[in-house]
Amino acid sequence: MLDVKRMVILRDLAEHTRVTAVADLHGVTPSAVSQQLRALEAEAGAALVEREGRGLRLTPAGMALAAACEPVLAALERAEGAVRALDAELSGELAIGCAPSALATVAAPLVAELAVRHPRLRPRIVQADPEEAVPRLRQRRLDLAVTYAYPLLGAPPAAGTTAVPLFDDPLCLALPQALLPAYERDGLAALRESAWVSAPAPSSCREMLLHACRNAGFTPRIAHECADLRSGLWLVATGQAVSILPKLLCDAPPPGAAVRELPGRGRTLDVLVRAGTETQPAVAATLAALTSLTSSAPRTPSASSASSASSASSASSASSAPLTAR
């Protein structure tokens, strides 16, 4: 019988290609990873990896076994869910990863909603961007993850996960009030000489900023890096920088910063679960609460009207528009 934990190590080697990367992922030494791979080869009765220079590569048998890992894990998750479904009441801890930009609008209302619906269920919110949340989810350190993705970047969904769409979050341009007439006349190209604020690399938000500017015919000069893009609005308010960021982060621009919604599709907010866990009672109940909340919750203020803190009346009228469910 094949050991599932060893199959997971082989799957991770297929994805990350280096033994040291797999060792870091599992919190063990590289020699321990190699030992587990040798034991899996003995169980499978076939060579699964072979030397290539200073590293390893999977043999055809190894690739076949790695590809079979996700369906096996999903089947085990469904079996665990069938057992948990026999419990009379939902209880226990549920670890939920959440992107920072969705903490106020998604995570906080979810905690309150679950307290009403399932008082014995203990949600634990863990702030994590998708780059952190997805590996934690696949390693069973999270049960769900509220993440985001930019469809225009074409990144495929993570293997072994199921995505449930929540809503669309448009992209907005934040710029000094003084540059607003030039932008409204010439578009993004008017900002080719400006200094830009972006998230540090690697970041899909940064990639999307680069994508938008290059489509306008220039490569932006990224002068400032802020992990918290909302805080970057204060750099914009100085008159010395511009930025592109999700609408969820533009609800209260500081005086001097104008915000305009960009045309085209922005990002999607999704909740990810491991394949096979979507029917587990606690996960299914959380998914139901999330979809209910996000289909009825109000949007953040309209970016096209919330050009500054002084535009309070326009922002107020836009705040009642419903979220766009996917």
Side-chain angles (χ1 to χ4, degrees):
M1 180 69 69
L2 299 176
D3 185 283
V4 175
K5 292 182 179 179
R6 290 168 181 157
M7 288 180 64
V8 170
I9 288 177
L10 182 69
R11 176 204 67 181
D12 292 341
L13 180 62
E15 182 175 341
H16 296 280
T17 70
R18 294 183 297 109
V19 169
T20 52
V22 177
D24 291 341
L25 190 63
H26 289 266
V28 299
T29 63
S31 61
V33 170
S34 299
Q35 182 180 12
Q36 292 299 309
L37 290 173
R38 288 193 296 270
L40 184 61
E41 286 182 321
E43 293 170 351
L48 304 176
V49 296
E50 59 187 8
R51 288 283 177 189
E52 184 178 52
R54 299 178 63 182
L56 296 175
R57 70 173 179 182
L58 271 63
T59 64
M63 289 187 287
L65 188 55
C69 184
E70 295 297 353
V72 169
L73 293 175
L76 289 172
E77 297 283 13
R78 286 191 291 270
E80 184 177 339
V83 173
R84 291 184 179 179
L86 300 176
D87 293 339
E89 185 178 359
L90 297 182
S91 62
E93 183 177 277
L94 199 70
I96 304 170
C98 186
S101 57
L103 285 170
T105 54
V106 178
L110 174 63
V111 170
E113 183 72 8
L114 289 176
V116 174
R117 294 189 182 201
H118 308 288
R120 293 185 60 195
L121 196 60
R122 302 190 308 276
R124 178 170 63 89
I125 302 300
V126 180
Q127 178 178 311
D129 275 311
E131 295 84 358
E132 305 169 274
V134 172
R136 292 183 187 181
L137 179 68
R138 297 179 69 198
Q139 293 296 321
R140 300 176 64 88
R141 294 159 60 194
L142 293 174
D143 299 297
L144 305 93
V146 178
T147 68
Y148 57 82
Y150 291 93
L152 288 179
L153 296 180
T161 66
T162 298
V164 177
L166 297 177
F167 56 89
D168 292 329
D169 185 20
L171 285 178
C172 294
L173 173 71
L175 71 167
Q177 290 279 359
L179 295 179
L180 193 55
Y183 166 71
E184 292 179 340
R185 183 182 64 248
D186 300 324
L188 278 181
L191 307 174
R192 63 173 62 247
E193 300 301 325
S194 298
W196 288 77
V197 184
S198 176
S203 163
S204 55
C205 293
R206 185 187 184 103
E207 291 176 25
M208 195 63 203
L209 184 152
L210 293 170
H211 177 82
C213 291
R214 286 167 180 164
N215 277 354
F218 68 97
T219 298
R221 177 172 61 87
I222 297 177
H224 313 286
E225 295 185 342
C226 292
D228 178 6
L229 288 176
R230 192 193 300 270
S231 297
L233 289 172
W234 289 92
L235 291 171
V236 174
T238 67
Q240 303 301 311
V242 294
S243 185
I244 291 176
L245 66 168
K247 188 173 182 177
L248 278 181
L249 299 177
C250 298
D251 55 332
V259 176
R260 292 293 182 268
E261 188 171 317
L262 293 172
R265 194 171 187 188
R267 66 177 187 172
T268 61
L269 268 289
D270 308 289
V271 55
L272 297 184
V273 298
R274 289 186 301 279
T277 65
E278 56 269 29
T279 57
Q280 290 185 5
V283 173
T286 305
L287 292 175
L290 274 170
T291 53
S292 174
L293 285 168
T294 55
S295 64
S296 60
R299 272 193 187 272
T300 51
S302 170
S304 61
S305 58
S307 59
S308 71
S310 62
S311 305
S313 60
S314 297
S316 175
S317 63
S319 65
S320 60
L323 286 169
T324 303
R326 291 176 54 224

